[in-house]
Amino acid sequence: MLTSVQNEKVKNWRKLKKKKERDLHSQFIIEGFHLIEEAHKSDWDIVEIIYQQGIECDPAWSTYPPLFEVSDNVMVAITQTKSPQGVLAVVNKKEIQTHPIQRALMVDRVQDPGNLGTMIRTADAAGFDTVILGNGTVDLFNDKVIRSTQGSLFHLHVFEADLTKEIDRLQQSGSKIWSTGLENARYYNELDVPEKLVIIVGNEGSGVDPHLIQKADQNVMIPIYGKAESLNVSVAAAILMYEAVKK
């Protein structure tokens, strides 16, 4: 059992709380039984599992990489949740691979981890195959983002990219680009949904970057029937993604 927060292994786990360390080592931490099971079922590379003393391990974990039992104080030092389940895993990031895209969500500079995680989870539920994160978007492997995805992170192609270049590439491959925005926009429910569709949603305060809006094939907006000025970005994304799969 590891009992000291000064142990080198423990120090390395704690470092993975920071984005620069996650990027440096191409690894991240997940917490809880459900996320570990989803990562395993989706063939992500689990490097090691850490469990708190007194926690009963799943018998299936005997086939996993090394298991490390830790004391209560070590678990407190490495966990980032208020009510931890007492089990974590270190997971290797996946290499980005080119794949055909049928339905994709592009995310431009969204800052809130809960919003990003919810959009990834919704994209999974709506049958989208890809989520593309632009520069300035909250880190995909932020612990709050991961928890908010509820495991959907492991089911989709999710990667970071230059959105300008991605729009060009996807348009060349036959995708139509819808951007949320008010200028020269049409209501989404008045449009025919193209066979290959990419939807861009933007920053909580400023929306989609005007340069990206200019490159889109169509600006779309959602009708508001009450007095609210706007919708939360994850709610707007959900409405548009589910509309896309209705037709």
Side-chain angles (χ1 to χ4, degrees):
M1 183 192 299
L2 302 181
T3 59
S4 172
V5 295
Q6 299 305 315
N7 179 280
E8 282 304 311
K9 176 66 75 173
V10 176
K11 287 182 178 179
N12 290 336
W13 292 333
R14 296 181 71 183
K15 287 179 181 178
L16 292 177
K17 293 181 179 182
K18 298 180 180 179
K19 182 181 186 304
K20 67 177 182 179
E21 294 293 333
R22 295 193 293 267
D23 291 343
L24 178 63
H25 299 287
S26 291
Q27 293 179 335
F28 61 100
I29 284 181
I30 57 176
E31 299 191 32
F33 293 95
H34 174 67
L35 286 176
I36 293 174
E37 179 64 20
E38 289 302 309
H40 175 64
K41 289 193 301 185
S42 303
D43 293 324
W44 281 61
D45 184 17
I46 297 175
V47 179
E48 51 201 9
I49 291 177
I50 306 123
Y51 65 97
Q52 188 173 353
Q53 60 181 348
I55 294 296
E56 184 175 349
C57 291
D58 189 320
W61 292 359
S62 61
T63 63
Y64 280 22
L67 301 176
F68 292 91
E69 184 179 12
V70 301
S71 60
D72 295 348
N73 65 304
V74 170
M75 180 57 66
V76 169
I78 58 179
T79 187
Q80 298 191 72
T81 57
K82 292 182 178 179
S83 302
Q85 295 181 26
V87 58
L88 306 91
V90 177
V91 183
N92 281 332
K93 295 182 181 181
K94 277 194 172 182
E95 293 288 332
I96 298 173
Q97 297 180 346
T98 302
H99 64 281
I101 291 177
Q102 192 72 23
R103 293 279 189 268
L105 179 71
M106 275 190 177
V107 182
D108 175 37
R109 297 170 298 125
V110 166
Q111 296 291 300
D112 184 84
N115 280 338
L116 179 59
T118 297
M119 287 190 286
I120 292 171
R121 184 178 179 183
T122 306
D124 184 17
F128 273 50
D129 50 75
T130 304
V131 178
I132 306 170
L133 312 180
N135 297 330
T137 296
V138 61
D139 181 30
L140 172 62
F141 300 104
N142 174 294
D143 69 295
K144 293 180 181 178
V145 174
I146 294 172
R147 290 201 303 273
S148 296
T149 72
Q150 286 291 303
S152 289
L153 162 66
F154 304 116
H155 306 159
L156 303 174
H157 296 283
V158 187
F159 60 91
E160 299 173 348
D162 182 317
L163 296 189
T164 298
K165 294 180 180 178
E166 282 299 299
I167 289 173
D168 290 339
R169 182 179 72 85
L170 290 168
Q171 285 175 326
Q172 289 171 9
S173 67
S175 292
K176 296 297 182 183
I177 314 294
W178 283 6
S179 174
T180 52
L182 299 179
E183 187 177 349
N184 299 319
R186 293 181 61 186
Y187 289 118
Y188 73 89
N189 50 358
E190 297 176 349
L191 298 169
D192 292 328
V193 178
E195 182 179 348
K196 296 175 69 175
L197 176 64
V198 178
I199 297 170
I200 313 175
V201 294
N203 177 267
E204 291 89 344
S206 58
V208 177
D209 185 284
H211 176 68
L212 300 179
I213 290 176
Q214 289 296 320
K215 294 183 72 67
D217 297 293
Q218 179 65 59
N219 272 5
V220 297
M221 55 186 179
I222 298 169
I224 293 180
Y225 303 106
K227 296 181 180 180
E229 291 185 358
S230 62
L231 291 169
N232 171 277
V233 63
S234 63
V235 173
I239 291 170
L240 295 174
M241 285 190 284
Y242 267 91
E243 179 67 17
V245 297
K246 278 171 56 179
K247 298 178 180 180

Coordinates of all heavy atoms in Angstrom, one line a residue, residues 58-109:
D58 N -13.2 -4.9 -8.4 CA -13.9 -5.8 -9.4 C -13.0 -6.9 -9.7 O -11.8 -6.7 -10.1 CB -14.2 -4.9 -10.6 CG -15.1 -5.7 -11.6 OD1 -14.9 -6.9 -11.8 OD2 -16.0 -5.0 -12.2
P59 N -13.5 -8.2 -9.7 CA -12.7 -9.3 -10.0 C -12.1 -9.2 -11.4 O -11.0 -9.8 -11.7 CB -13.6 -10.5 -9.9 CG -14.7 -10.1 -9.0 CD -14.8 -8.6 -9.2
A60 N -12.8 -8.6 -12.3 CA -12.3 -8.4 -13.7 C -11.0 -7.6 -13.8 O -10.3 -7.7 -14.8 CB -13.4 -7.8 -14.6
W61 N -10.7 -6.8 -12.8 CA -9.5 -6.0 -12.8 C -8.3 -6.8 -12.7 O -7.2 -6.3 -12.9 CB -9.6 -5.0 -11.6 CG -10.6 -4.0 -11.8 CD1 -11.5 -3.8 -12.8 CD2 -10.9 -2.9 -10.9 NE1 -12.4 -2.8 -12.6 CE2 -12.0 -2.2 -11.4 CE3 -10.4 -2.5 -9.6 CZ2 -12.6 -1.1 -10.8 CZ3 -11.0 -1.4 -9.0 CH2 -12.0 -0.7 -9.6
S62 N -8.4 -8.1 -12.4 CA -7.2 -8.9 -12.3 C -6.5 -9.0 -13.7 O -5.3 -9.4 -13.8 CB -7.5 -10.3 -11.8 OG -8.5 -10.9 -12.7
T63 N -7.3 -8.7 -14.8 CA -6.7 -8.8 -16.1 C -6.2 -7.4 -16.6 O -5.7 -7.3 -17.7 CB -7.8 -9.3 -17.1 OG1 -8.9 -8.3 -17.1 CG2 -8.4 -10.6 -16.7
Y64 N -6.4 -6.4 -15.7 CA -5.9 -5.1 -16.0 C -4.4 -4.9 -15.8 O -3.8 -5.8 -15.2 CB -6.7 -4.1 -15.2 CG -8.1 -3.7 -15.7 CD1 -8.8 -4.6 -16.5 CD2 -8.7 -2.6 -15.3 CE1 -10.1 -4.3 -16.9 CE2 -10.0 -2.3 -15.7 CZ -10.7 -3.1 -16.5 OH -11.9 -2.8 -17.0
P65 N -3.9 -3.7 -16.1 CA -2.5 -3.4 -15.7 C -2.4 -3.3 -14.2 O -3.3 -3.6 -13.5 CB -2.3 -2.0 -16.4 CG -3.4 -1.9 -17.4 CD -4.5 -2.7 -16.9
P66 N -1.2 -2.9 -13.7 CA -0.9 -2.9 -12.3 C -2.0 -2.2 -11.5 O -2.6 -1.2 -11.9 CB 0.4 -2.1 -12.2 CG 1.1 -2.3 -13.5 CD -0.1 -2.4 -14.5
L67 N -2.3 -2.8 -10.3 CA -3.2 -2.2 -9.4 C -2.4 -1.7 -8.2 O -1.5 -2.3 -7.7 CB -4.2 -3.3 -8.8 CG -5.1 -4.0 -9.8 CD1 -5.9 -5.1 -9.1 CD2 -6.0 -3.0 -10.5
F68 N -2.8 -0.5 -7.7 CA -2.1 0.2 -6.6 C -3.1 0.5 -5.5 O -4.0 1.3 -5.7 CB -1.4 1.4 -7.0 CG -0.2 1.2 -8.0 CD1 -0.4 1.2 -9.3 CD2 1.1 0.9 -7.5 CE1 0.7 1.0 -10.2 CE2 2.1 0.7 -8.3 CZ 1.9 0.7 -9.7
E69 N -2.9 -0.1 -4.4 CA -3.7 0.2 -3.2 C -3.1 1.4 -2.5 O -1.9 1.5 -2.3 CB -3.8 -0.9 -2.2 CG -4.8 -0.7 -1.1 CD -4.9 -1.9 -0.1 OE1 -4.1 -2.8 -0.3 OE2 -5.8 -1.8 0.7
V70 N -3.9 2.4 -2.1 CA -3.4 3.6 -1.5 C -4.2 3.9 -0.2 O -5.4 3.5 0.0 CB -3.5 4.9 -2.4 CG1 -2.7 4.6 -3.7 CG2 -4.9 5.2 -2.8
S71 N -3.6 4.6 0.7 CA -4.2 5.0 2.0 C -5.2 6.1 1.7 O -5.2 6.8 0.6 CB -3.2 5.4 3.0 OG -2.4 6.5 2.5
D72 N -6.0 6.4 2.7 CA -7.0 7.5 2.6 C -6.4 8.8 2.3 O -6.9 9.6 1.4 CB -7.8 7.6 3.9 CG -8.6 6.3 4.2 OD1 -8.8 5.5 3.3 OD2 -9.1 6.2 5.4
N73 N -5.3 9.2 2.9 CA -4.7 10.5 2.7 C -4.1 10.6 1.3 O -4.2 11.7 0.7 CB -3.6 10.8 3.7 CG -2.4 9.8 3.6 OD1 -2.6 8.6 3.7 ND2 -1.2 10.4 3.5
V74 N -3.6 9.5 0.7 CA -3.1 9.6 -0.7 C -4.3 9.7 -1.6 O -4.2 10.5 -2.6 CB -2.3 8.3 -1.0 CG1 -2.0 8.2 -2.5 CG2 -1.0 8.3 -0.2
M75 N -5.4 9.0 -1.4 CA -6.6 9.2 -2.3 C -7.1 10.6 -2.3 O -7.4 11.2 -3.3 CB -7.7 8.2 -1.9 CG -8.9 8.3 -2.7 SD -8.7 8.0 -4.5 CE -8.2 6.2 -4.5
V76 N -7.1 11.2 -1.1 CA -7.6 12.6 -1.0 C -6.6 13.5 -1.8 O -7.1 14.5 -2.5 CB -7.6 13.0 0.5 CG1 -7.8 14.6 0.6 CG2 -8.7 12.3 1.2
A77 N -5.4 13.2 -1.8 CA -4.4 14.0 -2.5 C -4.5 13.9 -4.0 O -4.2 14.9 -4.7 CB -3.0 13.6 -2.1
I78 N -4.9 12.8 -4.6 CA -5.0 12.6 -6.0 C -6.3 12.8 -6.6 O -6.5 13.0 -7.8 CB -4.3 11.3 -6.4 CG1 -5.1 10.1 -5.8 CG2 -2.9 11.2 -6.1 CD1 -4.5 8.8 -6.2
T79 N -7.4 12.6 -5.8 CA -8.7 12.8 -6.4 C -9.1 14.2 -6.6 O -8.5 15.1 -5.9 CB -9.8 12.1 -5.5 OG1 -11.0 12.1 -6.1 CG2 -9.9 12.8 -4.2
Q80 N -10.1 14.5 -7.5 CA -10.5 15.9 -7.7 C -12.0 16.0 -7.5 O -12.6 17.0 -7.9 CB -10.2 16.3 -9.1 CG -8.7 16.3 -9.3 CD -8.3 17.0 -10.6 OE1 -8.4 18.2 -10.8 NE2 -7.8 16.2 -11.6
T81 N -12.7 15.0 -7.0 CA -14.1 15.0 -6.7 C -14.4 15.2 -5.2 O -13.6 14.8 -4.4 CB -14.8 13.7 -7.2 OG1 -14.2 12.6 -6.5 CG2 -14.6 13.5 -8.7
K82 N -15.5 15.8 -4.9 CA -15.9 16.0 -3.5 C -16.3 14.8 -2.8 O -16.0 14.6 -1.6 CB -17.0 17.0 -3.5 CG -16.7 18.4 -3.9 CD -17.9 19.4 -3.8 CE -17.5 20.8 -4.2 NZ -18.6 21.8 -4.1
S83 N -16.9 13.8 -3.5 CA -17.3 12.5 -2.9 C -16.7 11.4 -3.8 O -17.5 10.7 -4.5 CB -18.8 12.4 -2.8 OG -19.3 13.5 -2.1
P84 N -15.4 11.2 -3.7 CA -14.8 10.1 -4.5 C -15.3 8.7 -4.2 O -15.6 8.4 -3.1 CB -13.3 10.3 -4.2 CG -13.3 10.9 -2.8 CD -14.5 11.8 -2.8
Q85 N -15.3 7.9 -5.3 CA -15.7 6.5 -5.1 C -14.5 5.7 -4.6 O -14.7 4.5 -4.3 CB -16.2 5.9 -6.4 CG -17.5 6.6 -6.9 CD -18.0 6.0 -8.2 OE1 -17.7 4.8 -8.5 NE2 -18.8 6.7 -8.9
G86 N -13.3 6.2 -4.6 CA -12.2 5.5 -4.1 C -11.5 4.7 -5.1 O -10.7 3.8 -4.8
V87 N -11.7 5.0 -6.4 CA -11.0 4.3 -7.4 C -10.7 5.2 -8.6 O -11.6 6.0 -9.0 CB -11.8 3.0 -7.9 CG1 -13.2 3.4 -8.4 CG2 -11.1 2.2 -8.9
L88 N -9.5 5.1 -9.1 CA -9.1 6.0 -10.3 C -8.3 5.1 -11.2 O -7.9 4.0 -10.9 CB -8.2 7.1 -9.8 CG -8.7 8.1 -8.8 CD1 -8.3 7.6 -7.4 CD2 -8.2 9.5 -9.0
A89 N -8.1 5.6 -12.4 CA -7.3 4.9 -13.4 C -6.5 6.0 -14.2 O -7.0 7.1 -14.5 CB -8.1 4.1 -14.3
V90 N -5.3 5.6 -14.6 CA -4.5 6.4 -15.5 C -4.7 5.8 -16.9 O -4.6 4.6 -17.1 CB -3.0 6.4 -15.1 CG1 -2.2 7.2 -16.2 CG2 -2.8 7.0 -13.7
V91 N -5.1 6.7 -17.9 CA -5.4 6.2 -19.2 C -4.5 6.9 -20.2 O -4.3 8.1 -20.1 CB -6.9 6.5 -19.5 CG1 -7.3 6.0 -20.9 CG2 -7.8 5.9 -18.5
N92 N -4.0 6.2 -21.2 CA -3.3 6.8 -22.3 C -4.3 7.5 -23.3 O -5.3 7.0 -23.6 CB -2.5 5.8 -23.1 CG -1.2 5.4 -22.4 OD1 -0.6 6.2 -21.7 ND2 -0.8 4.2 -22.6
K93 N -3.9 8.7 -23.7 CA -4.6 9.4 -24.8 C -4.5 8.6 -26.1 O -3.5 7.8 -26.3 CB -4.1 10.8 -25.1 CG -4.3 11.8 -23.9 CD -3.7 13.1 -24.3 CE -3.9 14.1 -23.1 NZ -3.4 15.5 -23.5
K94 N -5.5 8.7 -27.0 CA -5.5 8.1 -28.2 C -4.9 9.0 -29.3 O -5.1 10.2 -29.3 CB -6.9 7.6 -28.6 CG -7.3 6.3 -28.0 CD -8.5 5.7 -28.7 CE -8.9 4.3 -28.3 NZ -10.0 3.8 -28.9
E95 N -4.2 8.4 -30.3 CA -3.7 9.1 -31.4 C -4.9 9.5 -32.3 O -5.8 8.7 -32.5 CB -2.7 8.2 -32.2 CG -1.4 7.9 -31.5 CD -0.5 9.1 -31.4 OE1 -0.6 10.0 -32.3 OE2 0.3 9.2 -30.4
I96 N -4.9 10.7 -32.9 CA -5.9 11.1 -33.8 C -5.7 10.3 -35.1 O -4.7 10.3 -35.7 CB -5.8 12.6 -34.1 CG1 -6.0 13.4 -32.8 CG2 -6.8 13.0 -35.1 CD1 -5.8 14.9 -32.9
Q97 N -6.8 9.7 -35.6 CA -6.8 9.0 -36.8 C -7.9 9.5 -37.8 O -9.0 9.9 -37.3 CB -7.0 7.5 -36.6 CG -5.9 6.9 -35.7 CD -6.2 5.4 -35.5 OE1 -7.3 4.9 -35.7 NE2 -5.2 4.7 -35.1
T98 N -7.5 9.6 -39.1 CA -8.5 10.1 -40.1 C -9.6 9.1 -40.2 O -9.4 7.8 -40.2 CB -7.8 10.3 -41.4 OG1 -6.8 11.2 -41.3 CG2 -8.8 10.8 -42.4
H99 N -10.8 9.5 -40.2 CA -12.0 8.6 -40.4 C -13.1 9.4 -41.1 O -13.2 10.6 -41.1 CB -12.5 8.2 -39.0 CG -13.0 9.3 -38.2 ND1 -12.2 10.2 -37.5 CD2 -14.3 9.7 -37.9 CE1 -12.9 11.1 -36.9 NE2 -14.2 10.9 -37.1
P100 N -14.0 8.6 -41.7 CA -15.1 9.3 -42.4 C -16.0 10.0 -41.4 O -16.3 9.4 -40.3 CB -15.9 8.1 -43.1 CG -14.9 7.0 -43.1 CD -14.0 7.2 -41.9
I101 N -16.5 11.1 -41.8 CA -17.4 11.9 -40.9 C -18.8 12.1 -41.5 O -18.9 12.6 -42.6 CB -16.8 13.3 -40.5 CG1 -15.5 13.1 -39.7 CG2 -17.8 14.2 -39.8 CD1 -14.8 14.4 -39.3
Q102 N -19.8 11.6 -40.8 CA -21.2 11.8 -41.3 C -21.9 12.9 -40.5 O -22.5 13.8 -41.1 CB -21.9 10.5 -41.1 CG -23.3 10.4 -41.8 CD -23.2 10.3 -43.3 OE1 -22.1 9.8 -43.8 NE2 -24.2 10.7 -44.0
R103 N -21.7 12.9 -39.2 CA -22.3 13.9 -38.4 C -21.3 14.4 -37.4 O -20.8 13.6 -36.6 CB -23.6 13.4 -37.6 CG -24.8 13.1 -38.5 CD -25.5 14.3 -38.8 NE -26.8 14.0 -39.5 CZ -27.0 14.0 -40.8 NH1 -25.9 14.2 -41.6 NH2 -28.2 13.8 -41.3
A104 N -21.0 15.7 -37.3 CA -20.0 16.2 -36.4 C -20.4 17.5 -35.8 O -21.2 18.3 -36.3 CB -18.7 16.4 -37.2
L105 N -20.0 17.7 -34.5 CA -20.1 18.9 -33.8 C -18.8 19.6 -33.7 O -17.8 19.0 -33.2 CB -20.7 18.6 -32.4 CG -21.0 19.9 -31.5 CD1 -22.1 20.7 -32.1 CD2 -21.2 19.5 -30.1
M106 N -18.7 20.9 -34.1 CA -17.5 21.7 -33.9 C -17.8 22.6 -32.7 O -18.8 23.3 -32.6 CB -17.2 22.5 -35.1 CG -16.4 21.8 -36.2 SD -15.9 22.9 -37.5 CE -14.9 21.8 -38.5
V107 N -16.8 22.7 -31.8 CA -16.9 23.5 -30.6 C -15.8 24.6 -30.6 O -14.6 24.3 -30.6 CB -16.7 22.6 -29.4 CG1 -16.9 23.5 -28.1 CG2 -17.7 21.5 -29.4
D108 N -16.3 25.9 -30.7 CA -15.4 27.0 -30.8 C -15.3 27.8 -29.5 O -16.2 28.5 -29.1 CB -15.9 27.9 -31.9 CG -15.1 29.2 -32.0 OD1 -13.9 29.2 -31.8 OD2 -15.7 30.3 -32.3
R109 N -14.2 27.6 -28.8 CA -13.9 28.4 -27.6 C -14.9 28.3 -26.5 O -15.1 29.3 -25.7 CB -13.7 29.9 -28.0 CG -12.5 30.1 -29.0 CD -12.5 31.6 -29.5 NE -13.7 31.8 -30.3 CZ -14.5 32.8 -30.0 NH1 -14.3 33.7 -29.1 NH2 -15.6 33.0 -30.8

